[in-house]
């Protein structure tokens, strides 16, 4: 059984299958709705039900309060239709955003590489090429499809059927532990995607600043490769941080890119490297390295931030102190089972 969902203000009507959420149906129809945690906890995907009936599902009472339910609000990531429904959502047009319907992509694991002591590179050949914008992410179905986890695509769109995921093991994390300890070359797997609104605004003339920490390097790596392949001549800088040299992966690759492309600058930073090591790069955190490199003046840039929440918060503060503000800052955050309870709605629309 299915129902029809009409989405205002765009006036588009789509079919929603039984037990399919509003968000999933919209994304698979190529309609982007604001969302973040996808667990009914952050309220980013809150919409107004103008007509019809919905089941609110597992929406938390904090993210969707009783009075809001009475007023006709619901969370798109949890809500399922019980009749034909019309909703109203805040949908902002972006001239650089592509409308790419979410699809399922079966594939085969072709290689698993230890990039660092805590990060695995998982290489998958999908049965069909996946079209996406550099910076987007996929859902990776684990343990035979029992559940999924979100991971950024580390490869540029030009690689066709070859997909790369950089997966850091989360202590006690069911999904990442399974990937690190059980996943094998030759395993058949499934991805769904692409998801997300984290992509380079290619129509903007500003210089580009990428700030990343840990396995948050995936999206900037995809973005930078895509830009350089296309011959983009705008100045672009990657400031990338890890704790120590053993965790600093793709270091040589970025040094080589900087050597070949005069418009690309690479600034690595280590926050906990032994004092007696031969490391001659920046010692400190990502936001400190960026502040020093740009002399605390970030005007004239578009900034793209990807990494742990604490790193992103520190980078936002530093960028704003250096006179770069909301309209020019974009972030990508993922929420693990361990921290999803702490999710709140974004302070700003972009970040």
């Amino acid at each position: 059984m299915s129902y029809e969902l009409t989405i205002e203000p765009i006036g588009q009507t789509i079919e929603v299958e039984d037990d399919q959420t509003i968000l999933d149906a919209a994304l698979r129809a190529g309609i982007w709705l604001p969302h973040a945690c996808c667990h009914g906890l952050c309220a980013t995907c809150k919409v107004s039900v103008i007509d019809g009936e919905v089941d609110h599902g597992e929406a938390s009472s904090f993210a969707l309060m009783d009075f809001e339910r009475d007023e006709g609000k619901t969370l798109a990531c949890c809500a399922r239709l019980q009749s034909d429904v019309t909703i109203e959502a805040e949908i902002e047009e972006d001239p650089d955003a592509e409308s790419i319907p979410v699809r399922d992509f079966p594939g085969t694991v072709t290689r698993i590489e230890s990039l660092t002591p805590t990060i695995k590179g998982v290489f998958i050949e999908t049965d069909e090429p996946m079209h996406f914008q550099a910076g987007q992410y996929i859902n990776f179905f684990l343990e035979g499809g029992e559940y999924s986890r979100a991971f950024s695509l580390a490869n540029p769109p030009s690689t066709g059927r070859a997909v790369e995921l950089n997966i850091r093991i989360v202590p006690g994390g069911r999904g990442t532990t399974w990937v690190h300890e059980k996943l094998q070359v030759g395993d058949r797997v499934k991805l769904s995607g692409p998801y997300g609104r984290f992509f380079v605004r290619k129509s903007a003339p500003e210089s580009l600043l990428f700030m990343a920490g840990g396995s948050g390097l995936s999206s900037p790596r995809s973005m930078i490769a895509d830009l350089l392949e296309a011959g983009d001549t705008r100045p672009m800088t990657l400031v990338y941080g890890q704790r120590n040299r053993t965790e600093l992966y793709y270091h040589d690759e970025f040094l080589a890119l900087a050597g070949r492309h005069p418009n690309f600058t690479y600034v690595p930073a280590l926050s906990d490297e032994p004092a007696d090591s031969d490391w001659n790069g920046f010692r400190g955190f990502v936001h400190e390295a960026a502040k020093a490199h740009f002399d605390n003046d970030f005007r004239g840039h578009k900034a793209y931030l990807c990494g742990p929440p604490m790193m992103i918060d520190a980078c936002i503060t530093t960028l704003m102190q250096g006179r770069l503000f909301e309209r020019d800052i974009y972030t990508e955050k993922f929420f693990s089972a361990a921290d999803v309870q702490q999710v709140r709605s974004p302070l700003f629309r972009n970040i």
Side-chain angles (χ1 to χ4, degrees):
M1 184 176 182
S2 64
Y3 294 107
E4 289 190 341
L5 172 68
T6 301
I7 302 172
E8 298 293 355
I10 62 175
Q12 189 165 341
T13 299
I14 62 174
E15 188 171 297
V16 181
E17 298 296 332
D18 187 35
D19 205 37
Q20 186 178 28
T21 66
I22 289 174
L23 180 61
D24 183 65
L27 294 176
R28 288 181 181 273
I31 302 170
W32 183 82
L33 296 180
H35 62 281
C37 78
C38 295
H39 294 283
L41 295 165
C42 75
T44 305
C45 66
K46 190 176 296 179
V47 297
S48 297
V49 178
I50 305 302
D51 186 50
E53 299 293 329
V54 301
D55 178 352
H56 297 295
E58 299 178 355
S60 80
S61 57
F62 172 82
L64 188 66
M65 298 182 182
D66 289 341
F67 77 88
E68 292 179 303
R69 298 172 194 234
D70 293 340
E71 291 175 350
K73 300 290 195 301
T74 195
L75 301 185
C77 73
C78 296
R80 291 170 170 80
L81 305 193
Q82 294 184 314
S83 68
D84 291 344
V85 168
T86 299
I87 64 169
E88 186 172 45
E90 289 190 25
I91 302 176
E92 294 185 352
E93 294 187 5
D94 189 312
D96 293 297
E98 293 186 42
S99 179
I100 308 173
V102 167
R103 294 177 52 204
D104 295 326
F105 292 89
T108 303
V109 178
T110 58
R111 180 160 57 101
I112 300 175
E113 180 181 344
S114 293
L115 299 175
T116 80
T118 62
I119 299 174
K120 295 280 191 184
V122 177
F123 299 81
I124 299 166
E125 183 174 301
T126 53
D127 294 354
E128 298 179 62
M130 179 189 299
H131 177 59
F132 66 96
Q133 288 188 268
Q136 291 190 292
Y137 68 93
I138 54 85
N139 279 333
F140 187 11
F141 290 84
L142 309 176
E143 297 194 54
E146 287 187 25
Y147 59 96
S148 66
R149 295 289 184 266
F151 299 106
S152 293
L153 291 154
N155 54 288
S158 62
T159 55
R161 294 195 297 147
V163 167
E164 179 183 349
L165 309 175
N166 299 160
I167 301 177
R168 180 181 67 87
I169 190 167
V170 177
R174 176 185 175 186
T176 59
T177 298
W178 182 83
V179 168
H180 276 245
E181 298 180 0
K182 302 294 184 181
L183 187 65
Q184 300 290 322
V185 171
D187 285 353
R188 290 287 292 173
V189 295
K190 186 178 77 172
L191 316 174
S192 69
Y195 296 96
R197 298 277 277 190
F198 191 58
F199 53 83
V200 174
R201 272 60 185 178
K202 293 184 177 180
S203 65
E206 290 88 351
S207 299
L208 304 168
L209 170 58
F210 301 94
M211 303 172 75
S215 58
L217 181 64
S218 300
S219 289
R221 180 172 181 256
S222 175
M223 293 164 143
I224 291 165
D226 184 49
L227 291 165
L228 294 178
E229 285 176 3
D232 198 299
T233 58
R234 285 174 295 178
M236 59 186 83
T237 302
L238 169 64
V239 184
Y240 174 52
Q242 278 281 19
R243 289 177 54 83
N244 53 60
R245 183 65 185 86
T246 63
E247 292 287 345
L248 193 68
Y249 72 107
Y250 287 134
H251 177 64
D252 291 338
E253 175 183 298
F254 287 115
L255 288 175
L257 284 176
R260 294 198 304 270
H261 299 276
N263 61 318
F264 174 63
T265 302
Y266 171 50
V267 182
L270 300 180
S271 62
D272 195 29
E273 176 70 1
D276 59 353
S277 77
D278 61 357
W279 175 252
N280 57 9
F282 188 88
R283 291 175 181 267
F285 295 102
V286 171
H287 65 284
E288 297 170 333
K291 183 176 181 178
H293 182 79
F294 288 97
D295 195 25
N296 198 33
D297 187 350
F298 300 102
R299 289 174 296 177
H301 286 83
K302 291 280 189 185
Y304 299 88
L305 283 52
C306 195
M310 288 183 65
M311 183 218 86
I312 288 179
D313 291 344
C315 288
I316 290 172
T317 299
T318 297
L319 290 171
M320 296 185 76
Q321 289 173 344
R323 291 187 281 185
L324 195 70
F325 301 106
E326 176 192 352
R327 67 180 181 275
D328 294 317
I329 303 175
Y330 304 89
T331 73
E332 183 69 291
K333 292 183 180 180
F334 292 124
F335 306 103
S336 69
D339 61 21
V340 73
Q341 293 290 344
Q342 301 173 12
V343 175
R344 296 293 184 269
S345 297
L347 179 61
F348 303 118
R349 291 188 187 278
N350 291 340
I351 61 179

